[in-house]
Amino acid sequence: MTKLKPWLPLIGIGVFAVLLLVVAPAVLSMHWINNLGKYCCWAIVAVGIGLAWGRGGMLVLGQGVFFGLGAYTMAMHLTLETAGPGSLPVFMILYDPSAPLPAFWEPFRSDAFTLVAIVLLPVIVASILGYALFKRRVKGAYFAILTQALAVALAVLISSTIRETGGDTGLSDFKYFFGFVLDDDANKIMVFMIAAALLIVCLLVVWQLGRSRFGELLIATRDAEERVRFLGYDPANIKLVAFVVAAVMASIAGAMFVPIVGIITPAEIGASASILMIAGVALGGRASLFGPALGAMAIGWGQSSLGSSWPSGWIYILGLVFILVTLFLPMGLSSLSGRAKSLVWRSRTAATAPAAASAPVLEEVKK
Amino acid sequence: MTTTGSLVVTDLRVEFDGFVAVGGVSFDAHPGEVRFLIGPNGAGKTTCIDAITGLSKGSGSVKLGDQELLGTSVNKIVRLGVGRTFQTASVFEQLSVLQNLDIAAGLHRSSLSLLRARRGIEPAIESALEETGLSTERETPAGILSHGQKQWLEIGMMLVQEPRALLLDEPVAGMSQDERTATGELLQRIAQRRIVLVVEHDMDFMRRYASRVTVLHQGKVLSEGAVAQVQADPKVQEVYLGTAGAATTAAMLAVPDGATATTDSITQGEGA
């Protein structure tokens, strides 16, 4: 058992992979496969947040920024692919048929450029942002507010540039995905499989980072940043790595969200969307491996089942669950098993303790 | 003996918004001695350590061998070979003793090797475990160690970094008598090859293990020399009488029986 223990998470990831990649496509209807794909995207963001917030202590309230970077990169590419070579996207023609394609759109015609940009853009943005913030030792609430403000800023920027980005209506009506017709069940399953496989990969990455020396260092930085400095490390660099990895995961999630859901709007990346991404992580357990992913999937499921059948009630239920979890399970639902273990342990020791404690009482009675 | 070079502090000044915490302090510490920095509360002892390790900004000069430390960032000073502990033991409570030591030992590892999991125990860590007597506690989370063990773990975390100078801020505060003895002997062993500078309140501990002492008062050096020499200094006696009350003074002035003879001879020699 002790020999097996370090590998249990890996077995868990394996089981999760079988469920997502083999069982789910076999038993679920197309509607639910599509929904599950969407949850996988949120779960990928959540896995990154689990790393940055749960293990690194950085409350990233604005992952919508990186989600948006990936999503709009992919959406621009798919829009151009749908429009065909040399032609303008439909929404641009509606505004001004004679206007040329904005210069920053042009590179996104290329498949390779798009794929590279999905990974590299968040690396660049998160590196610059993270370097500036962590070297200046911005942390805690200030860091959280700043990231949140950036998510709002990006959403507002996109809303206000209708001609270039589609504005509040967003980008939608994608017909092709790298040459595959999106309106085809087999291709939809393929896109879902890619998202699910990426989720598994992200879980593996976080698992390896967690068991590595870097993972230990990250937790040490979270708990005592100044102390880490006195061990000869620069905590800014450690946090930066976790922040960038989380950003890349959010970007990949955004990129997969677009072909699965078929639309991206500023509402999906703004403040409330970013907070919902955090909510799933908090619910599941931010410092655990599976907690963030499962929590995000649960929130996603709640939103599409309860949220659509009883929209006014859903938000209250979400709020209530959130309050209950933060009050009674601050480390999320994944801490339940640990709690249960310590309860069992306590009741066992308690069973022997009263025997010792009751002895003097008996003697007193005798007297 | 002086292969690693000495720690030389010259005219160190530290100010906080106009308040002079340390005003022109000079002292040195050599490998092979257990050097003590004492003084009443607010004398600037910890501030001195903070300035040497880059936590507070200071002016003047702090040299380790030929290397100037002032103006260098905290983590770089550590890499130059200066380790320190804090008044309150600050170990990573969530991590095990072994993980704590492993993190501390890692400052010279390459960034890429950080991505791999830890395999086996490095010799430096093993010997630090032995040295600090924590061999049996290696898997224990640092948070549930006793107070004394946490301080030893801190010292162990410095040792695995192979520093040239170790600065300890009140290492025996809150320790039992046995733990103090163990700590003192540990420091003497460490000091054989390294510079050891200890900030302390505990006079008895200072008397038993100090080889040289510098007394600070209100940010200035009041007296310096061997233990007995410093104890006999009327200025030191006045400071401890005047500011720290009778209890400290009594402790300061009470010379253990064994040490009386040597004390007297030195005092006479100096007093002339």
Side-chain angles (χ1 to χ4, degrees):
Chain A
M1 187 61 198
T2 43
K3 240 185 172 180
L4 198 66
K5 210 179 169 200
W7 304 102
L8 276 181
L10 207 54
I11 296 169
I13 294 176
V15 172
F16 196 50
V18 170
L19 282 178
L20 276 182
L21 296 171
V22 181
V23 179
V27 297
L28 291 180
S29 68
M30 259 337 282
H31 170 74
W32 279 107
I33 285 183
N34 220 33
N35 271 341
L36 191 58
K38 187 164 71 175
Y39 310 154
C40 281
C41 295
W42 282 324
I44 293 173
V45 188
V47 170
I49 294 175
L51 181 72
W53 180 36
R55 314 224 176 152
M58 295 165 272
L59 182 51
V60 281
L61 272 182
Q63 284 307 82
V65 170
F66 304 110
F67 188 83
L69 277 181
Y72 270 89
T73 301
M74 179 64 91
M76 281 157 78
H77 175 70
L78 298 189
T79 304
L80 289 171
E81 197 181 346
T82 305
S87 21
L88 278 180
V90 177
F91 79 92
M92 288 189 187
I93 298 174
L94 288 177
Y95 286 111
D96 185 359
S98 60
L101 190 68
F104 74 93
W105 274 72
E106 202 57 56
F108 292 101
R109 281 193 194 278
S110 149
D111 288 359
F113 181 87
T114 304
L115 291 179
V116 170
I118 286 166
V119 178
L120 226 50
L121 266 181
V123 170
I124 295 167
V125 173
S127 298
I128 296 172
L129 184 67
Y131 188 84
L133 291 178
F134 300 140
K135 286 285 178 190
R136 277 155 217 263
R137 305 189 191 175
V138 176
K139 52 190 140 188
Y142 302 99
F143 176 82
I145 291 166
L146 216 142
T147 51
Q148 171 91 89
L150 282 174
V152 176
L154 185 65
V156 169
L157 177 72
I158 292 172
S159 296
S160 60
T161 50
I162 299 176
R163 282 163 188 249
E164 289 82 17
T165 63
D168 281 328
T169 14
L171 297 174
S172 58
D173 299 325
F174 316 114
K175 297 211 163 54
Y176 305 101
F177 175 74
F178 294 88
F180 293 95
V181 180
L182 270 175
D183 193 21
D184 176 335
D185 281 357
N187 290 344
K188 276 186 178 169
I189 289 179
M190 177 198 72
V191 174
F192 159 77
M193 297 279 257
I194 296 174
L198 284 169
L199 172 59
I200 301 298
V201 170
C202 289
L203 280 171
L204 285 172
V205 167
V206 167
W207 171 74
Q208 172 60 24
L209 284 181
R211 67 196 277 272
S212 73
R213 285 181 152 128
F214 171 80
E216 293 174 350
L217 204 49
L218 187 62
I219 288 176
T221 309
R222 176 192 72 190
D223 292 344
E225 192 171 325
E226 284 309 309
R227 188 70 183 88
V228 169
R229 217 181 287 281
F230 279 101
L231 293 177
Y233 300 97
D234 190 346
N237 295 339
I238 299 159
K239 289 162 90 174
L240 189 60
V241 172
F243 184 59
V244 169
V245 171
V248 170
M249 286 183 183
S251 176
I252 290 173
M256 290 315 297
F257 184 86
V258 166
I260 289 173
V261 180
I263 179 168
I264 184 73
T265 65
E268 302 284 359
I269 69 172
S272 49
S274 296
I275 287 174
L276 264 182
M277 294 174 191
I278 285 274
V281 180
L283 179 70
R286 60 180 188 264
S288 70
L289 179 63
F290 292 104
L294 296 179
M297 292 178 114
I299 296 265
W301 174 77
Q303 209 171 11
S304 49
S305 56
L306 271 175
S308 55
S309 62
W310 190 30
S312 55
W314 156 244
I315 200 75
Y316 288 108
I317 292 175
L318 185 63
L320 185 68
V321 168
F322 207 64
I323 289 170
L324 290 178
V325 167
T326 33
L327 265 183
F328 298 108
L329 285 170
M331 291 315 285
L333 291 174
S334 69
S335 61
L336 263 180
S337 67
R339 282 282 183 95
K341 258 185 226 162
S342 72
L343 265 184
V344 170
W345 187 78
R346 229 185 279 166
S347 66
R348 258 190 221 157
T349 46
T352 53
S358 59
V361 181
L362 277 177
E363 276 176 27
E364 269 175 37
V365 173
K366 271 182 201 166
K367 276 175 193 171
Chain B
M1 195 173 87
T2 49
T3 44
T4 53
S6 303
L7 181 72
V8 182
V9 177
T10 319
D11 198 27
L12 180 67
R13 290 178 63 85
V14 182
E15 288 184 26
F16 298 111
D17 295 327
F19 169 73
V20 181
V22 176
V25 166
S26 303
F27 61 90
D28 54 8
H30 309 298
E33 61 174 355
V34 181
R35 192 76 165 78
F36 271 71
L37 215 51
I38 63 165
N41 281 328
K45 308 176 298 276
T46 299
T47 314
C48 274
I49 300 254
D50 285 351
I52 295 171
T53 52
L55 194 59
S56 305
K57 267 208 175 86
S59 61
S61 159
V62 176
K63 279 194 164 178
L64 180 67
D66 300 326
Q67 185 77 44
E68 176 63 50
L69 299 184
L70 286 188
T72 314
S73 66
V74 167
N75 44 313
K76 287 198 179 118
I77 291 177
V78 176
R79 281 168 190 266
L80 289 172
V82 180
R84 79 169 285 183
T85 64
F86 294 83
Q87 274 174 20
T88 47
S90 46
V91 293
F92 305 113
E93 312 230 319
Q94 308 256 319
L95 301 176
S96 72
V97 168
L98 194 57
Q99 283 174 319
N100 268 281
L101 289 169
D102 188 74
I103 285 179
L107 79 162
H108 298 302
R109 282 186 203 123
S110 76
S111 316
L112 271 182
S113 76
L114 287 179
L115 298 180
R116 287 199 299 271
R118 171 167 41 81
R119 290 199 195 88
I121 303 173
E122 290 169 16
I125 293 174
E126 193 66 68
S127 69
L129 279 170
E130 302 249 323
E131 190 76 72
T132 53
L134 291 171
S135 295
T136 51
E137 307 285 347
R138 61 184 69 187
E139 296 302 336
T140 313
I144 62 170
L145 291 177
S146 74
H147 173 74
Q149 285 173 322
K150 278 187 194 168
Q151 283 288 3
W152 292 335
L153 176 57
E154 280 233 56
I155 296 174
M157 285 163 75
M158 271 199 294
L159 285 179
V160 293
Q161 301 186 320
E162 314 247 316
R164 291 150 70 191
L166 292 85
L167 317 182
L168 299 102
D169 199 351
E170 299 195 19
V172 298
M175 278 191 183
S176 71
Q177 201 55 45
D178 289 347
E179 287 174 328
R180 281 161 196 250
T181 307
T183 310
E185 284 165 1
L186 173 62
L187 291 184
Q188 282 183 329
R189 279 201 302 276
I190 296 170
Q192 284 166 10
R193 288 179 294 119
R194 300 183 170 92
I195 299 162
V196 173
L197 179 65
V198 186
V199 163
E200 225 358 295
H201 259 313
D202 187 275
M203 294 306 147
D204 178 52
F205 183 72
M206 183 271 289
R207 244 191 322 270
R208 278 163 71 196
Y209 298 105
S211 41
R212 268 197 311 147
V213 185
T214 295
V215 185
L216 294 184
H217 179 51
Q218 295 180 343
K220 295 234 190 303
V221 174
L222 191 67
S223 179
E224 192 172 55
V227 177
Q229 221 174 318
V230 163
Q231 275 182 316
D233 190 326
K235 281 186 290 180
V236 176
Q237 293 174 359
E238 189 190 332
V239 162
Y240 274 88
L241 271 171
T243 59
T248 326
T249 316
M252 178 79 190
L253 297 177
V255 179
D257 297 336
T260 321
T262 49
T263 310
D264 288 344
S265 64
I266 295 170
T267 327
Q268 279 157 14
E270 281 295 310

